[in-house]
Amino acid sequence: MRSGENVRTLGVVGTGAIGVSWVLLGLEHGLDVIAWDPAEGAEERLRAQIPAPSVEPRAPASVSRPTRSAGALRFADSLEEVGAVADLVLESGPERLEVKREIFAALDAAAAGDVLLTSSSSGLMPSTFQDACTHHPERVLVAHPFNPPHLVPLVEVVGGSTTSAEAVEAALETLRHLGKRPIHIRREVPGHVANRLQAALWREAYHLVDQGIVSVADIDTAIADGPGLRWSLLGPFATQHLSGGPGGLGHVLEHLGPPMVEWWDDLGHPKLTAGLVEKLVDGVDEELDGTSAEDLVARRDQALRRLLEIKTDLGLG
């Protein structure tokens, strides 16, 4: 299975927000990239988001270390052309099962047998579309990134029922080669792992807003200026361990475990009604107070770069 340095041409299917970021990651690491998207004007929109070679790379040097000069980008005429040319395919098409099955069946027919075919699906399990591949289903898996993938290190690697161990290892090796921090999800579950954790937090956040306990803006402050700062450095388990002093996690669970279970029993079960949706949307609009999404994304990405550099320098990433 092609992996690591043997991946020289990256195939990207779908050039929305995730696909564009995969393209940037490949180019910054010196890979040639062949991309395809059936939407009208997709190539023009993609190229408009790719900085010129003279522009400073968008990922910090301490996180993404290009191994050679920036690669070249070409836009394919067909999905099959991507499969035939790429050493690794990263699919970021619509999150619809019937579309995934069509895409992977076409890629499987066109790509050499040692080319990994991966999906960026945020919640679909690979077994649900893997069986559409009649040639080499064993090389199909999910490689779910977090937006924007060229900056955020996490990628969740999920094999399906017929994915080979070799394919999983090749995916992990290649993603590490590209500066990512992949984790292997050992059993398929809807939403994988990180999105399930996010969903658990969102559920209670929506409940608290719905009940009038707190505002949308205060929820964001509670996380961004509270536990979220620590979680971004060490994660929830290591953070909880440090809060226990010399006794560590064992001490925390002994003394705070019982009341925590009581909180679990009191967590809400909100319904995503039209009224709640309106309340959440209005709350975000009020919180941002006219700040453009483009400006906020630019500042967020700049902060991500700096945070990743700090984590690398201090051995936390």
Side-chain angles (χ1 to χ4, degrees), residues 139-275:
R139 44 80 174 275
V140 175
L141 49 79
V142 162
H144 173 234
F146 272 71
N147 193 25
H150 69 289
L151 288 179
V152 179
L154 176 65
V155 182
E156 297 174 308
V157 174
V158 190
S161 58
T162 58
T163 303
S164 69
E166 181 188 4
V168 169
E169 187 53 43
L172 295 170
E173 178 186 348
T174 302
L175 289 165
R176 293 187 191 109
H177 183 70
L178 293 175
K180 301 292 95 183
R181 292 288 298 275
I183 61 173
H184 179 205
I185 311 303
R186 292 167 175 79
R187 184 166 65 86
E188 295 176 278
V189 290
H192 317 314
V193 168
N195 273 342
R196 290 173 70 93
L197 294 171
Q198 288 189 130
L201 189 150
W202 284 327
R203 187 182 77 174
E204 183 60 14
Y206 292 175
H207 170 70
L208 294 171
V209 171
D210 193 35
Q211 296 299 306
I213 295 170
V214 72
S215 71
V216 167
D218 285 343
I219 287 284
D220 278 345
T221 298
I223 298 301
D225 293 320
L229 288 172
R230 299 184 302 185
W231 291 342
S232 70
L233 300 176
L234 291 173
F237 282 134
T239 295
Q240 195 175 33
H241 172 71
L242 292 182
S243 70
L249 183 59
H251 176 77
V252 172
L253 295 179
E254 180 182 356
H255 291 273
L256 297 181
M260 183 169 59
V261 172
E262 293 179 5
W263 301 341
W264 289 347
D265 294 338
D266 192 53
L267 293 176
H269 298 272
K271 302 295 183 184
L272 203 56
T273 63

Side-chain angles (χ1 to χ4, degrees), residues 16-257:
I18 298 298
V20 168
S21 196
W22 278 136
V23 169
L24 286 169
L25 178 70
L27 294 176
E28 290 170 359
H29 280 265
L31 302 182
D32 293 329
V33 178
I34 180 167
W36 178 80
D37 190 307
E40 184 176 354
E43 180 176 3
E44 290 73 18
R45 289 191 294 274
L46 171 61
R47 293 191 181 279
Q49 298 180 74
I50 304 300
S54 60
V55 177
E56 182 179 353
R58 296 175 67 179
S62 59
V63 176
S64 288
R65 295 182 175 87
T67 56
R68 54 192 175 104
S69 59
L73 170 65
R74 65 183 268 211
F75 205 86
D77 293 325
S78 68
L79 178 60
E80 290 75 11
E81 184 181 355
V82 175
V85 171
D87 296 312
L88 166 68
V89 177
L90 301 169
E91 176 272 334
S92 303
E95 192 78 348
R96 298 200 302 271
L97 181 57
E98 67 276 11
V99 175
K100 299 289 189 200
R101 291 179 65 85
E102 292 177 5
I103 288 174
F104 276 85
L107 289 170
D108 182 51
D114 62 347
V115 172
L116 283 175
L117 304 180
T118 78
S119 175
S120 298
S121 174
S122 59
L124 293 175
M125 296 182 288
S127 290
T128 62
F129 54 85
Q130 181 177 50
D131 63 330
C133 302
T134 59
H135 297 273
H136 294 283
E138 73 281 355
R139 44 80 174 275
V140 175
L141 49 79
V142 162
H144 173 234
F146 272 71
N147 193 25
H150 69 289
L151 288 179
V152 179
L154 176 65
V155 182
E156 297 174 308
V157 174
V158 190
S161 58
T162 58
T163 303
S164 69
E166 181 188 4
V168 169
E169 187 53 43
L172 295 170
E173 178 186 348
T174 302
L175 289 165
R176 293 187 191 109
H177 183 70
L178 293 175
K180 301 292 95 183
R181 292 288 298 275
I183 61 173
H184 179 205
I185 311 303
R186 292 167 175 79
R187 184 166 65 86
E188 295 176 278
V189 290
H192 317 314
V193 168
N195 273 342
R196 290 173 70 93
L197 294 171
Q198 288 189 130
L201 189 150
W202 284 327
R203 187 182 77 174
E204 183 60 14
Y206 292 175
H207 170 70
L208 294 171
V209 171
D210 193 35
Q211 296 299 306
I213 295 170
V214 72
S215 71
V216 167
D218 285 343
I219 287 284
D220 278 345
T221 298
I223 298 301
D225 293 320
L229 288 172
R230 299 184 302 185
W231 291 342
S232 70
L233 300 176
L234 291 173
F237 282 134
T239 295
Q240 195 175 33
H241 172 71
L242 292 182
S243 70
L249 183 59
H251 176 77
V252 172
L253 295 179
E254 180 182 356
H255 291 273
L256 297 181

